[in-house]
Amino acid sequence: MAGGLYLAGRAAAAAALAGCFGAYVAPTRPLLPAVAVLVLAVAADAAGLRLPRRVTRALTVFVLVVLLLVVVTCFAIAPPPPTGVAIPPGTPGLDDPSELLPAAGVLFFGFLGFERITAPGADESEASRRRMRVIIPVLLAVCLVTYLVVSLAVLRQLGPTRLAVSTAPLRDALDAADGTYLDPLVTIAAMVATGVGLLIVVGGGRRTADTMAVTGDLPAGESAHPRSEE
């Protein structure tokens, strides 16, 4: 049951990341690039592509620097005056507490891959375990602070209503702050972040599916590896 839910969550995560990729690459027609990047991620994982740690760290630093530029721009420029347009009563999603659940799902994406860091290794030394006890809380804190700062920055520029309906909030916030010259950089950072995220999601799903197939916990595995009744 846990493995099945994990695979379902990974499928949803892959779809969401691909959709984010399409929204930033081709805002008017996001479906085609979303499907293309998803296919490429699956093909890359099947071909055994693994990003070296140095490359992953460099890409992470690049994305964080771009986010920092967005935050500085959003806080440096005064937000536009509110339009004063009220949301009509009865609008779907208005003051609906059930929307907290998908919002929490969005927050989950910032923590993808932590299960790989926290998984204990068979040959892991005691010194390595002590380092991880310090590194993991630091990384979690960095993710949390990044979420809060970026959210406050885009909320300041767009306001709650525009932010709620935006499919590319970083780009829309920059447009509101007269920072359109950063749009190409934000697009590249979004492509990098979603692309690496897709590789992590697809790889995690593949490893789980392989394990479940070996143990006979997938339908195809049940027929291929029948278990004896004991």
Side-chain angles (χ1 to χ4, degrees), residues 48 99 111 221 226:
E99 296 300 323
F111 302 94

Side-chain angles (χ1 to χ4, degrees), residues 51-67 185 188-189 192-193 196:
L51 292 178
R53 289 186 177 181
R54 291 183 179 180
V55 174
T56 303
R57 290 170 183 169
L59 294 177
T60 302
V61 170
F62 168 71
V63 172
L64 289 176
V65 168
V66 174
L67 288 176
L185 199 60
I188 295 173
V192 169
V196 174

Side-chain angles (χ1 to χ4, degrees), residues 38-211:
L38 187 56
V39 171
L40 286 175
V42 173
D45 183 77
L49 176 64
R50 304 292 181 267
L51 292 178
R53 289 186 177 181
R54 291 183 179 180
V55 174
T56 303
R57 290 170 183 169
L59 294 177
T60 302
V61 170
F62 168 71
V63 172
L64 289 176
V65 168
V66 174
L67 288 176
L68 179 61
L69 291 175
V70 173
V71 169
V72 170
T73 303
C74 290
F75 280 113
I77 305 298
T83 59
V85 178
I87 302 177
T91 300
L94 182 64
D95 297 330
D96 184 1
S98 66
E99 296 300 323
L100 290 174
L101 183 59
V106 172
L107 292 176
F108 165 77
F109 290 110
F111 302 94
L112 285 173
F114 269 94
E115 73 279 1
R116 296 176 62 187
I117 301 175
T118 57
D123 56 347
E124 194 175 79
S125 64
E126 184 61 30
S128 178
R129 293 191 184 95
R130 286 197 297 267
R131 286 196 301 270
M132 295 306 297
R133 292 191 190 104
V134 176
I135 293 174
I136 291 172
V138 170
L139 292 177
L140 288 170
V142 169
C143 286
L144 178 60
V145 171
T146 302
Y147 258 129
L148 291 176
V149 174
V150 173
S151 299
L152 288 174
V154 295
L155 179 63
R156 181 176 185 268
Q157 285 296 328
L158 298 178
T161 303
R162 289 183 63 191
L163 178 58
V165 299
S166 174
T167 57
L170 296 181
R171 177 183 292 147
D172 292 342
L174 284 177
D175 293 345
D178 294 330
T180 54
Y181 56 91
L182 289 175
D183 282 353
L185 199 60
V186 169
T187 300
I188 295 173
M191 293 171 62
V192 169
T194 53
V196 174
L198 270 173
L199 288 176
I200 295 174
V201 167
V202 172
R206 174 187 51 77
R207 286 188 295 271
T208 300
D210 289 345
T211 302

